[in-house]
Amino acid sequence: MRAEQRDRPEQAEQSSQADPTTATGATAEADPSAEADPAATTIEADPDPGAAATATATAGRRPPRARKFPEGPAPDPAGSHFERRIRSFQPRRSRVTPGQADALRRLWPLWGFDIDGQRTLDPAAMFEGRPVVLEIGFGMGEATAQMAAADPDTGILAVDVHTPGQGNLLGLAERAGLRNLRVANGDAIILLRAMLPPASLDGLRVFFPDPWPKKRHHKRRLIQPEFLSLAAGVLKPGALLHCATDWEPYAEQMLEVLTAHPDYANTLPDGGYAPRPAFRPLTRFEGQGMDKGHRVHDLLFCRVER
């Protein structure tokens, strides 16, 4: 669950295109964590007009970010293959512990992959015929590992961009002996749009996505009609879409757009929010929110066949 340690975003907007389903590999703005490259901002006089034009065109571009773990997740896996768009997530920069770094170096080549948008996956083969559930945003991975351990006959494809969390989840999977878990790095929209075959998923989980509480940031929220239509294309009929949030206005929006979407039906006959299913663990983040009086809402909708 990505919100286990996610701060509420207060950053300024990063892009100008509002379609949340248009694929991307990065925001249009410079990465604040990238160090300035003098070669990208200083252009020497060049007697060759063509060379000067080329240098001018590249001035101001940030250099590619160095890959901290050569065998691990890439900083920007989709690169320039996809146009820029407003993203629903804000990558967090935090320290990778020695244990997480060790897990990334050893286990990423076995159980991890980058979302580059350049190939089509076969989820059934990836999980040896198990039904496959996609989880978007898993934070530090504790709850994801618990769900994988409790249901070894279901494959969990867990997506996030938080490097410490990726390393932590890989370490948890190894220590628990899990073989039904894979970790993907990058933008889940690109995964849904470009890398998953139609009707290839048996479920989709979005637990505690970033609520983007400021009104001007609402367009960044993941659960929107366009996203639901995109997800419907890769979900099998009868697949379960499970969302959870502790942000009341976002819960209301989720319920509104899911109820209105023709590809989904509420699993509750009378509609509304569902009780927390036993298979979704109570996370540390969730417990802290409940201690502060936050109310957590679960939404369980079924993919219908039209």
Side-chain angles (χ1 to χ4, degrees):
M1 270 138 244
R2 146 185 203 186
E4 287 172 335
Q5 294 193 3
R6 179 172 298 284
D7 295 329
R8 298 305 186 202
E10 299 296 334
Q11 293 84 351
E13 299 178 29
Q14 301 173 341
S15 179
S16 61
Q17 185 176 342
D19 183 358
T21 65
T22 303
T24 185
T27 58
E29 291 190 0
D31 190 332
S33 70
E35 295 183 0
D37 184 353
T41 57
T42 302
I43 305 301
E44 299 291 342
D46 193 323
D48 182 353
T54 302
T56 302
T58 58
R61 292 182 184 175
R62 63 181 174 93
R65 292 170 59 188
R67 190 161 186 157
K68 186 173 183 180
F69 303 98
E71 301 299 327
D76 187 8
S80 60
H81 301 301
F82 293 87
E83 66 268 26
R84 311 305 192 194
R85 68 165 177 90
I86 288 178
R87 293 192 298 187
S88 63
F89 59 89
Q90 179 75 20
R92 292 167 290 152
R93 283 110 186 147
S94 55
R95 187 176 68 89
V96 177
T97 67
Q100 294 162 359
D102 177 66
L104 286 168
R105 292 188 182 99
R106 293 188 300 104
L107 302 175
W108 187 263
L110 300 175
W111 300 333
F113 68 92
D114 286 322
I115 299 173
D116 57 12
Q118 301 300 298
R119 57 198 170 108
T120 301
L121 303 175
D122 185 347
M126 182 182 297
F127 290 97
E128 300 176 333
R130 296 180 179 93
V132 180
V133 172
L134 173 65
E135 181 177 354
I136 299 178
F138 55 79
M140 295 305 292
E142 292 98 337
T144 303
Q146 290 181 49
M147 290 185 288
D151 188 9
D153 293 329
T154 295
I156 297 180
L157 177 54
V159 180
D160 210 306
V161 294
H162 186 47
T163 308
Q166 293 165 349
N168 196 61
L169 179 54
L170 289 171
L172 291 171
E174 181 183 46
R175 290 191 290 275
L178 303 178
R179 294 295 180 268
N180 61 325
L181 184 62
R182 298 293 182 271
V183 181
N185 168 57
D187 193 335
I189 297 296
I190 297 177
L191 179 68
L192 293 170
R193 180 184 288 274
M195 297 181 68
L196 290 174
S200 58
L201 296 179
D202 297 88
L204 173 60
R205 296 168 180 166
V206 186
F207 297 155
F208 303 99
D210 205 321
W212 295 101
K214 292 185 178 181
K215 186 175 181 179
R216 69 175 183 269
H217 291 155
H218 286 182
K219 59 181 174 289
R220 299 183 183 276
R221 289 177 172 174
L222 181 63
I223 306 301
Q224 310 230 27
E226 297 85 357
F227 169 80
L228 295 177
S229 295
L230 180 62
V234 300
L235 290 171
K236 298 176 182 177
L240 184 67
L241 171 58
H242 183 185
C243 301
T245 182
D246 68 329
W247 197 258
E248 187 81 26
Y250 197 9
E252 294 170 355
Q253 177 188 326
M254 288 180 176
L255 182 61
E256 179 182 352
V257 298
L258 278 164
T259 300
H261 202 287
D263 289 326
Y264 301 91
N266 200 321
T267 60
L268 298 182
D270 298 329
Y273 304 111
R276 178 176 66 87
F279 64 80
R280 184 177 74 75
L282 185 68
T283 70
R284 180 176 66 253
F285 172 87
E286 185 176 358
Q288 292 171 351
M290 293 173 68
D291 290 342
K292 297 176 183 178
H294 296 182
R295 183 180 177 186
V296 176
H297 294 286
D298 284 79
L299 299 94
L300 296 172
F301 278 72
C302 180
R303 169 73 167 96
V304 297
E305 187 171 13
R306 290 195 291 162

